[in-house]
Every structure is written in structure tokens, then in C-alpha cells.
Amino acid sequence: VGQAAVCLAQHLGAEVFATAKRPESKEYLIKTFGLAEDHISYGLPQQPDKNGFDMVLNCVPTDSDTMRELWSSLSNFGRFVEIKETDTNSSGRLDTTSLQKNRSFMSVDLVSLALERPKLMERLLSDVSSLLEQGTLRPLHLTTFSISDAEEAFKALRNRDTDGKLVILPQAEAVVKVSTQFSLIYSSIS
């Protein structure tokens, strides 16, 4: 979602500020999207001026302290959009007194959107497809692994060593490694 959001924001003429987890990710954002180095941070993005951001998009799990800091970084009339999964249980709370500054918060659950508003989701996917065909949006960076290397793929995923999406590809000649080690738990009930 993040990379597609950068493409769309740039298409609309927005000044984009982003976060990266690692130096390689920062370099990827600079090289792929032409973002200025000072527009990419490893923590919370630095506000361009004292007025704050017009929009914040959060598409990664975030603790409540970070959510509050992001919320407070909004400008008057700013919008905060959070994309989350259905089963995400966020106990964080936002200080709604900031709503007096005409700020708005929206939580988007794409699974619920697809299930409850399928025609809207169909239209959104059609719009995204058109933007891809026109070259406005670029396909996401994919890191591919053979199914033979599934263990390495899961390690990369666990360690967050990839930018974009990770895909495991089946291949006719692939050999899937299987562990024969297992543990048996024995319990006696008396």
C-alpha cells in the first residue's frame, strides 16, 4: 500500500514524506520514487513546517504512542487515514480534542470493504488497474523465491529484509525441504 500511495500522491502533485525501516529501504525510495533524502526518516517523519501535514497515511501496525504523535503532526483540516486488517485489535486512543482543529480520522479495513461493499471495491480495483495501464502507478517491487527456498523466504519475511512484496514461486524441478524433526508431548492422565 505504501509504495502505491507514494506513486498516487506524486501523480497528484503532493510533496511526499515517508518512513523507512532500514538504510536499504531508504535508498530504494530515493532511487525508485525520486524522494529527497531529507523527506525519508527512520522514525516519525519530520514536519515540513510548523503547520504540520495535510494528510497522514498509516498502513503498518503502530503502537498507541506513535499513533498519537502522528495525529498531533496533522495540520488544521488535516486527514489521518489508517489502513488496517479486520482482526487488528488496536487499543490505542486518539485525543479527539484535536477534532476542534477540523482534523478527521478514517480507518479503512479493505477486507470488510470487499465483503460489505463489493461494488465499491470493484470500482476501486478498476480505477487502480486503469492507473497501472496508464503508467501512473508502477507495479510493486517483488522479491521472489523458489519454493525450494521457502525457509529463506520466511526468514526474510520475519526479519523484514525485503521492500515490497515477497512471492514464493512453484517450479517443476523444485525440491521442497521438509524437516523430519518433531517433538512429541506425552501426558499421562491418572
Side-chain angles (χ1 to χ4, degrees), residues 61-73:
T62 306
D63 62 70
S64 58
D65 289 337
T66 304
M67 287 284 286
R68 279 191 282 277
E69 287 185 55
L70 288 169
W71 177 254
S72 68
S73 74

Side-chain angles (χ1 to χ4, degrees), residues 19-77:
T19 59
K21 294 174 255 179
R22 340 176 251 117
E24 297 85 3
S25 299
K26 183 175 182 176
E27 188 59 36
Y28 176 79
L29 291 170
I30 292 168
K31 181 179 163 189
T32 306
F33 300 104
L35 295 183
E37 189 171 349
D38 65 346
H39 281 47
I40 306 168
S41 62
Y42 294 112
L44 292 171
Q46 297 301 311
Q47 295 181 34
D49 56 39
K50 63 182 179 187
N51 296 323
F53 295 107
D54 294 324
M55 182 181 170
V56 171
L57 171 68
N58 184 42
C59 53
V60 296
T62 306
D63 62 70
S64 58
D65 289 337
T66 304
M67 287 284 286
R68 279 191 282 277
E69 287 185 55
L70 288 169
W71 177 254
S72 68
S73 74
L74 283 175
S75 64
N76 291 347
F77 299 94

